[in-house]
């Protein structure tokens, strides 16, 4: 059994999709990041970085419980545990390269683009431009790579495609104001639509729907989501 610590945001969505694709038994553990539940001592014992997603595998290596945090680490761990969605052995170098490209580039720059366009104070034009343009550059790198390809790595659907789907699903926020946010990246758009049409996606989107997550963006929410913007409490 996998205990899956979840909030309805792009990185946890990747893990929800993997779990639904593979049928691995799991229990959803809601973590309301707008209420600061990611900063509790109990959750920090699972992820010291205070972020979702995280999992606890009750049947980890050696038969004991194992914690795993960071969406890319979780995808790799679960793919290796199940032997699914890893692609062909000869494609392993490409798989690792594109997974880390998504983990260190497309994902973080997309997140910062969203932050500075929607959450930051007005007047930070340099930061808005910087992160928006870098997100677009990462989109273009992956779009170019996908020319003539159905999937990111090899000939089959893998955890690299799942990782990309999680953030491409938020393209309308990353590229704020665009009528067709993936229209300038036709290969990315095709990849997203290919993954999004899979039956497991609808099930992944339903994860956590039975829990009422906080939606109000008030001072508590801002302090919970962006604690480094505030002086530490004495």
């Amino acid at each position: 059994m996998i205990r899956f610590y979840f909030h309805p945001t792009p990185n946890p969505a990747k893990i929800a999709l993997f779990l639904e694709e593979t049928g691995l038994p799991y229990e959803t553990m809601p973590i309301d990041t707008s209420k600061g539940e990611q900063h509790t001592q109990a959750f920090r014992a699972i992820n010291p970085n205070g972020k979702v997603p995280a999992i606890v595998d009750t049947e980890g290596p050696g038969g004991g419980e194992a914690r795993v945090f960071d969406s890319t680490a979780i995808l790799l761990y679960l793919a290796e545990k199940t032997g699914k969605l890893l692609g062909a052995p000869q494609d392993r170098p490409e798989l690792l390269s594109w997974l880390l490209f998504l983990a260190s580039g497309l994902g973080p720059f997309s997140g910062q683009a969203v932050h500075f366009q929607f959450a930051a104070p007005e007047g930070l034009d340099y930061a808005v431009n910087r992160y928006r343009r870098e997100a677009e550059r990462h989109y273009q790198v992956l779009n170019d790579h996908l020319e003539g390809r159905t999937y990111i790595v090899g000939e089959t659907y893998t955890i690299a495609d799942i990782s990309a789907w999680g953030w491409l699903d938020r393209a309308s926020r990353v590229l704020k104001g665009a009528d067709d946010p993936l229209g300038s990246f036709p290969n990315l758009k095709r990849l997203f639509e290919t993954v999004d049409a899979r039956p497991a996606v609808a099930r992944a989107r339903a994860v956590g729907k039975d829990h009422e997550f906080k939606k109000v963006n008030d001072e508590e929410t801002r302090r919970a989501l962006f604690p480094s913007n505030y002086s530490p409490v004495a």
Side-chain angles (χ1 to χ4, degrees):
M1 174 66 69
I2 302 297
R3 293 200 295 271
F4 172 33
Y5 295 84
F6 172 86
H7 186 271
T9 42
N11 289 321
K14 304 172 188 179
I15 310 309
L17 180 53
F18 180 93
L19 291 167
E20 290 297 332
E21 288 281 11
T22 58
L24 196 61
Y26 71 95
E27 178 184 8
T28 305
M29 313 292 287
I31 298 293
D32 198 328
T33 58
S34 291
K35 293 180 178 178
E37 292 175 356
Q38 71 275 32
H39 303 307
T40 64
Q41 185 176 358
F43 184 71
R44 288 294 181 104
I46 298 164
N47 184 356
N49 194 35
K51 303 279 187 180
V52 288
I55 66 168
V56 171
D57 182 1
T58 62
E59 298 178 0
E65 288 195 350
R67 70 177 187 183
V68 191
F69 52 89
D70 185 275
S71 61
T72 301
I74 297 169
L75 287 174
L76 277 168
Y77 174 81
L78 293 178
E80 290 173 351
K81 178 183 176 73
T82 60
K84 296 179 179 179
L85 300 175
L86 281 169
Q90 63 268 27
D91 294 325
R92 180 73 168 187
E94 282 285 304
L95 179 70
L96 292 174
S97 296
W98 286 107
L99 276 174
L100 294 183
F101 166 84
L102 293 162
S104 65
L106 189 146
F109 279 100
S110 295
Q112 293 300 325
V114 172
H115 177 82
F116 281 100
Q117 291 177 107
F118 288 92
E122 293 184 2
L124 300 176
D125 294 344
Y126 176 86
V128 170
N129 183 70
R130 161 73 176 166
Y131 287 111
R132 169 76 174 251
R133 297 294 175 251
E134 275 293 286
E136 291 172 339
R137 186 183 70 79
H138 284 85
Y139 275 27
Q140 190 64 57
V141 169
L142 188 53
N143 185 78
D144 292 347
H145 169 72
L146 284 165
E147 184 66 33
R149 299 171 179 269
T150 302
Y151 299 109
I152 295 174
V153 176
E155 303 298 324
T156 60
Y157 174 61
T158 70
I159 54 175
D161 305 299
I162 290 175
S163 183
W165 170 84
W167 269 107
L168 294 178
D169 191 45
R170 301 299 178 95
S172 62
R173 291 180 65 78
V174 176
L175 304 184
K176 180 182 179 182
D179 292 334
D180 182 6
L182 292 178
S184 298
F185 310 95
N187 298 323
L188 269 190
K189 185 173 184 177
R190 174 178 44 76
L191 174 72
F192 174 75
E193 291 175 347
T194 297
V195 176
D196 206 52
R198 297 179 65 87
V201 168
R203 299 193 299 272
R205 292 190 188 281
V207 171
K209 291 294 187 184
D210 57 346
H211 183 81
E212 187 64 33
F213 289 96
K214 182 181 177 182
K215 296 182 175 63
V216 177
N217 183 18
D218 55 14
E219 183 69 10
E220 178 194 46
T221 298
R222 290 187 288 274
R223 286 181 175 272
L225 296 180
F226 317 122
S228 57
N229 288 351
Y230 299 86
S231 299
V233 176

